Amino acid sequence: MTLFTVGPVEMYPTIQEVSSKQLPYFRNASFSNIMFELQERMLRLLHLKDGLLVTLTGSGSAAMESLCCCSFRNNQRVLIINGGSFGQRFSSICDCYHIPHDDILLPFPQRLTADILADIDGSKYCALLVNMHETSTGQLYDMQCLSQFAKKYHLYLIVDAISSFIADPLDMDDMGIDCVILSSQKALALSPGISFIAMNTRFYHEMIEPKDDICKYLSIKEHVKHMKRGQTPNTPAIGIILECMKRLQEIEIQGLQQVQDEIRKRALYFRKQCTQLSFTLPPFTLSNALTPIIVDGCAQELYHYLIDHHDLTLTPSGGTLQHTMLRVSHLGNLTLHHYDTLIQGMKEFGL
Ligand SMILES: *Cc1c(COP(=O)(O)O)cnc(C)c1O
């Protein structure tokens, strides 16, 4: 079986080895040191100098919800780039917590352009929320453009980078990003179950610290308080934290740029082969993480054909794109050879 899915992804043998071991106890100094080192490494990879890392046990959506409910209240409006199901998730979370919001709706395959932003009066908002790579469609947003918009109107910039961290360039200080949301099962190629919020300390002191908690398990203040001594409020997914430490060490040894180049190389290799086949790619900028392919009408048939005949699993699409689009991931332990097999299977299918 080979996974061309975005999460979970093909995991590395070194990580599988970590996850096969007995878990250690965690309320002690040696686990605290792991948490401190994890924070340090993660902030370094994100290029955030003066920051905090919150480690939550829960998938990426837990971090999205935690961030929204700990930072915003009903007296300040946020602006959401809503270009697919993950943008819609921000929107639904805000509804749930009565956080006033306006959404820039981008029905597939509409691009987010500078012109669209130029028409918006940003002075009504306190923050801009965006999924850097809207994984449901494959659109990678222009972070430079969004960053300029946020700066112009003094908005906090909140970026869900769950599927673009590692795969695409991301520099929090340089891009003026106040807060980044990550999770374990995408480009980090770990088991699902932990998510992270990395934020600059200014954002924490201004937007989170002064507010009374309205939730407990996902409280950022509780996590920050415990993290002062390298701990979490409750039992964390210890095993995934250990997987993460191992992966961050490997990434730093290999070099983030090198790891990113390899993902990009797979993406470009696959996209080049695609030109021999009869389907199209969407008209917007793509992330290195994923290639969405538009196979009008036969998405379901192709998905099942590749599983049944080649044991290859692509990422199916939901909602209105169910029959039109499949997504091919480039994350995790995949080689160019895997893409040759995939292309072969697609040709046999008759594309
Ligand atoms: C995967 C993903 C999430 C989180 O989904 P979970 O299933 O909760 O992990 C959020 N945002 C984006 C952009 C994603 O790709």
Side-chain angles (χ1 to χ4, degrees), residues 247 249-259 262:
R247 188 70 196 124
Q249 286 166 350
E250 288 176 349
I251 290 171
E252 284 205 68
I253 290 167
Q254 203 186 344
L256 177 62
Q257 192 57 54
Q258 181 81 21
V259 177
E262 274 177 18

Side-chain angles (χ1 to χ4, degrees), residues 327-342:
R327 293 165 297 151
V328 179
S329 162
H330 310 297
L331 303 175
N333 189 18
L334 291 169
T335 62
L336 297 186
H337 178 69
H338 287 114
Y339 290 94
D340 292 336
T341 314
L342 175 59

